């Protein structure tokens, strides 16, 4: 592993220094291994590892390329890792979301356009008063994703997308065991939307905090 780690660090160094840029093709394996003072096996293992976390893109028969290094692409690995959480760490993920998402919602209040607001309102209207838990969870994910995307911060959006795994499960559990969860969620969504329409960043932040904290509070009482 030490040899592979060294190979990973050397390739990382080339990318960070700008010797390899997004979209660049890596030199041939034999040439790169010689240039970096690595064995071809350790280089191959490093490339495999970096491709798993979307730093490199191995194209069969074409070569190995540096990916776009777009935050959304790089943070896909986060959602994969998050799926391995233990049930007793769900609260920690929710706590992180409670820190990040209200901030993103406040940012969106000054940037969101009418078309996005109308789309969010139509989405809530389409749910009706008594959606199923599955419909509510799917809508909840899209509702918050739409708002966070309007924050204008792609890194924040990708981070929150990556945290959706355990929080989605928490919302399902809540919907199955708490009678007023559906009506409360719909009320909180409409309150967030109203604050966004008013361009009131602090009200949007507050309602987003209340919305996430209510899930967190319920889950804390059940674990």
């Amino acid at each position: 592993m030490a040899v592979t780690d060294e190979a990973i660090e050397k390739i990382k160094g080339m990318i960070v220094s700008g010797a390899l840029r997004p979209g660049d093709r890596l030199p041939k394996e034999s040439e790169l291994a010689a240039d970096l003072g690595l064995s071809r096996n350790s280089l191959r293992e490093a490339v495999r590892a970096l491709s798993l976390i979307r730093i490199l893109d191995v194209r069969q028969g074409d070569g190995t390329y540096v990916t776009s290094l777009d935050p959304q692409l790089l943070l896909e690995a986060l959602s994969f890792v998050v799926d391995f959480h233990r049930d007793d760490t769900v609260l920690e993920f929710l706590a992180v979301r409670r820190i990040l998402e209200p901030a993103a919602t406040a940012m969106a209040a000054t940037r969101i356009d009418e078309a996005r607001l109308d789309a969010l309102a139509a989405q809530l209207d389409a749910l009706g008063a008594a959606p199923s838990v599955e419909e509510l969870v799917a809508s909840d994910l899209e509702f918050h994703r739409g708002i966070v995307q309007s924050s204008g911060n792609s890194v924040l959006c990708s981070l929150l997308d990556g945290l959706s795994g355990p929080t989605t499960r928490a919302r399902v559990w809540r919907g199955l065991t708490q009678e007023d969860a559906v009506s409360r969620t719909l009320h909180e969504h409409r309150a967030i939307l109203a604050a966004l329409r008013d361009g009131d960043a602090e009200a949007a932040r507050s309602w987003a905090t209340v919305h996430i904290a209510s899930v967190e509070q319920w889950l804390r009482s059940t674990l």
Side-chain angles (χ1 to χ4, degrees), residues 130-149:
S132 68
V133 172
E134 291 76 13
E135 290 170 335
L136 183 67
V137 169
S139 174
D140 191 45
L141 282 168
E142 288 306 310
F143 180 80
H144 292 290
R145 183 178 289 119
I147 293 171
V148 173
Q149 285 173 345

Side-chain angles (χ1 to χ4, degrees), residues 8 12 46-57 67 69-78 80-81:
I8 290 172
K12 175 185 172 182
V47 167
R48 185 176 294 115
L50 290 169
S51 68
L52 287 174
I53 57 173
R54 313 304 295 273
I55 301 294
L56 298 179
D57 178 20
T67 67
L69 302 180
D70 180 79
Q72 186 171 1
L73 181 69
L74 298 181
L75 288 168
E76 282 180 6
L78 174 63
F80 178 79
V81 172

Side-chain angles (χ1 to χ4, degrees), residues 98 102 174 184 188 205-215:
R98 179 162 46 84
R174 181 176 183 231
R184 183 184 299 179
E188 290 165 355
R205 184 197 306 272
S206 297
W207 274 112
T209 302
V210 167
H211 179 56
I212 299 165
S214 66
V215 178

Side-chain angles (χ1 to χ4, degrees), residues 22-80:
D24 282 356
R25 181 177 176 173
L26 269 65
K28 291 180 180 179
E29 184 182 90
S30 57
E31 295 174 7
L32 186 57
D35 288 344
L36 296 179
L38 300 168
S39 71
R40 294 178 67 171
N41 280 341
S42 62
L43 177 61
R44 201 170 295 132
E45 289 300 318
V47 167
R48 185 176 294 115
L50 290 169
S51 68
L52 287 174
I53 57 173
R54 313 304 295 273
I55 301 294
L56 298 179
D57 178 20
V58 180
R59 304 176 189 175
Q60 200 65 32
D62 186 18
T64 299
Y65 293 79
V66 180
T67 67
S68 66
L69 302 180
D70 180 79
Q72 186 171 1
L73 181 69
L74 298 181
L75 288 168
E76 282 180 6
L78 174 63
S79 61
F80 178 79

